[in-house]
């Protein structure tokens, strides 16, 4: 996605004094003309990028903008995303404007990425989650417990948790929290979380275990469980596989696209595969194939 590449280029520029267009083209697997258009887009978003010609030339960000190259506030990141996409973010427009003003020269207000919100740039969601996100962020800042009704595959229950981070990953928002019922760290999907309330009861802040700080790892565990899915996709589904898992996620043959991945949640896998309709056939494991077959029969019975 273009927004991913734009933020990727911005990150590279923030972390380096100067880079060349060929370097960016190779890194992001595009041609130099595309890099040039991306640089123009970043400039239009209010980011002061300078192009140096001649020997030793390259592309850089104006020194006044850089502040500290290793840190960027989440508010700044949200503002940049909004400016690049030309739409509002999960915060109010006035906050975006303040962010862009803050990013001007001579500003020294920078905090580390340990702020209580992490944005994964796979996509951007704008909608009714705003109130939930703001309430959770306020609870995190003040170290207050939150409680809510949670709906999941086994039914529903009421949870009281210590919130620590709001995470955006795989097109969905989550709150990373210590669950007082399970006495363990959990990710709760905000779309399944209702009747949210900030309890007003403060909690002593726990140290998040290092292995839990890898937000992407919460999902990457699905790929390393030893349980593998092997499926044959129709070639017409290539763009959807690339969109979800990248260019190297399948092996192309005359028969179609052989796709292999690990998983931990069979229900998620079945639901994902059903989204491809008749464009995929499960080869392994047999239990997933049988589940899809049974689902297909149930669907057929609804229309018979």
């Amino acid at each position: 996605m273009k927004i991913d590449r734009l933020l990727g280029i911005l990150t590279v520029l923030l972390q380096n004094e100067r880079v060349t267009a060929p370097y960016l083209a190779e890194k992001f697997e595009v041609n130099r003309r595309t890099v040039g258009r991306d640089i123009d887009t970043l400039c239009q978003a209010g980011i002061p990028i300078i192009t140096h010609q001649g020997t030793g030339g390259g592309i850089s960000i104006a020194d006044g903008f850089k502040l500290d190259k290793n840190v960027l506030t989440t508010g700044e990141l949200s503002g940049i995303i909004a400016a690049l996409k030309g739409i509002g973010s999960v915060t109010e427009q006035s906050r975006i404007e303040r962010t862009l003003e803050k990013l001007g020269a001579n500003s020294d207000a920078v905090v580390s990425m340990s702020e209580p919100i992490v944005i994964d740039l796979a996509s951007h969601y704008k909608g009714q989650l705003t109130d939930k996100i703001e309430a959770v962020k306020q609870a995190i800042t003040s170290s207050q417990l939150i409680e809510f009704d949670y709906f999941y595959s086994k039914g529903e229950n009421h949870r009281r948790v210590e919130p620590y981070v709001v995470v955006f990953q795989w097109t969905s928002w989550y709150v990373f929290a210590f669950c007082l019922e399970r006495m363990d760290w959990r990710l709760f999907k905000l779309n399944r979380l209702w009747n949210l309330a900030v309890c007003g009861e403060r909690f002593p802040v726990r140290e998040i275990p290092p292995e839990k700080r890898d937000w992407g790892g919460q999902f990457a565990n699905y790929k390393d469980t030893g349980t593998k899915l092997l499926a044959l996709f129709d070639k017409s589904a290539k763009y959807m596989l690339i969109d979800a898992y990248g260019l190297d996620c399948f092996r192309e043959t005359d028969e179609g696209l052989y796709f292999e991945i690990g998983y931990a949640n069979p229900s998620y896998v079945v639901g994902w595969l059903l989204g491809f309709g008749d464009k995929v056939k499960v080869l392994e494991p047999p239990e997933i194939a049988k589940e899809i077959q049974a689902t297909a029969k149930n669907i057929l019975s609804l229309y018979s």
Side-chain angles (χ1 to χ4, degrees):
M1 295 175 63
K2 183 177 180 180
I3 184 64
D4 301 342
R5 190 173 65 249
L6 289 171
L7 267 296
I9 290 174
L10 177 59
T11 300
V12 170
L13 293 175
L14 285 167
Q15 294 175 345
N16 296 273
E17 289 293 332
R18 188 176 300 183
V19 298
T20 64
Y23 171 82
L24 292 174
E26 181 178 358
K27 183 175 182 64
F28 295 98
E29 301 178 343
V30 295
N31 56 44
R32 294 181 61 178
R33 182 174 298 178
T34 298
V35 170
R37 289 196 294 266
D38 288 345
I39 295 300
D40 289 341
T41 300
L42 290 170
C43 290
Q44 292 170 9
I47 301 168
I49 297 179
I50 301 173
T51 300
H52 308 267
Q53 303 296 329
T55 304
I59 303 167
S60 65
I61 296 181
D63 289 337
F65 179 92
K66 287 185 179 179
L67 306 175
D68 185 330
K69 293 184 294 185
N70 296 318
V71 292
L72 192 66
T73 70
T74 54
E76 288 165 353
L77 188 54
S78 296
I80 291 169
I81 292 172
L84 292 176
K85 300 190 75 172
I87 60 174
S89 70
V90 295
T91 55
E92 296 179 354
Q93 185 65 27
S94 59
R95 184 172 182 179
I96 297 171
E97 294 169 354
R98 291 196 301 270
T99 296
L100 294 176
E101 181 180 353
K102 174 184 173 183
L103 285 173
N106 303 321
S107 174
D108 58 0
V110 178
V111 298
S112 73
M113 285 298 292
S114 62
E115 284 208 356
I117 181 169
V118 176
I119 299 177
D120 182 281
L121 299 175
S123 65
H124 181 75
Y125 184 90
K126 178 188 177 184
Q128 63 183 3
L129 293 176
T130 301
D131 292 341
K132 290 182 183 178
I133 292 171
E134 290 301 325
V136 173
K137 285 173 59 180
Q138 290 175 14
I140 292 171
T141 302
S142 58
S143 300
Q144 294 186 68
L145 294 175
I146 60 174
E147 58 182 336
F148 47 83
D149 295 325
Y150 196 66
F151 299 81
Y152 64 122
S153 60
K154 296 181 180 179
E156 61 184 271
N157 60 19
H158 191 76
R159 298 290 182 96
R160 282 168 56 89
V161 305
E162 302 171 359
Y164 284 85
V165 181
V166 176
V167 183
F168 182 69
Q169 182 108 25
W170 281 21
T171 74
S172 296
W173 289 93
Y174 299 80
V175 55
F176 178 72
F178 188 83
C179 178
L180 298 180
E181 178 181 337
R182 304 294 184 183
M183 294 304 293
D184 197 5
W185 301 93
R186 291 286 191 274
L187 276 168
F188 297 96
K189 193 171 186 177
L190 293 190
N191 275 344
R192 301 175 184 171
L193 181 159
W194 292 93
N195 300 319
L196 170 67
V198 179
C199 300
E201 179 182 344
R202 297 184 180 276
F203 61 87
V205 177
R206 302 174 190 266
E207 183 70 25
I208 302 176
E211 65 273 14
K212 299 290 186 177
R213 288 184 174 274
D214 180 7
W215 317 119
Q218 302 294 328
F219 298 90
N221 290 338
Y222 288 177
K223 304 176 183 179
D224 300 314
T225 60
T227 306
K228 296 291 183 180
L229 166 72
L230 178 60
L232 179 63
F233 285 82
D234 186 86
K235 291 184 178 181
S236 64
K238 179 188 291 187
Y239 75 97
M240 290 186 285
L241 291 178
I242 291 174
D243 184 55
Y245 291 101
L247 192 61
D248 301 321
C249 68
F250 56 82
R251 176 171 54 88
E252 189 165 1
T253 70
D254 293 338
E255 297 178 281
L257 311 174
Y258 280 91
F259 175 85
E260 184 176 356
I261 195 170
Y263 68 91
N265 189 331
S267 297
Y268 172 83
V269 172
V270 170
W272 180 71
L273 290 168
L274 286 172
F276 289 88
D278 62 354
K279 303 302 182 183
V280 59
K281 179 181 179 180
V282 175
L283 305 177
E284 296 178 8
E287 54 266 27
I288 294 293
K290 291 179 180 178
E291 180 73 18
I292 290 180
Q293 186 180 51
T295 302
K297 288 181 179 179
N298 291 337
I299 293 174
L300 183 61
S301 69
L302 292 175
Y303 295 93
S304 60

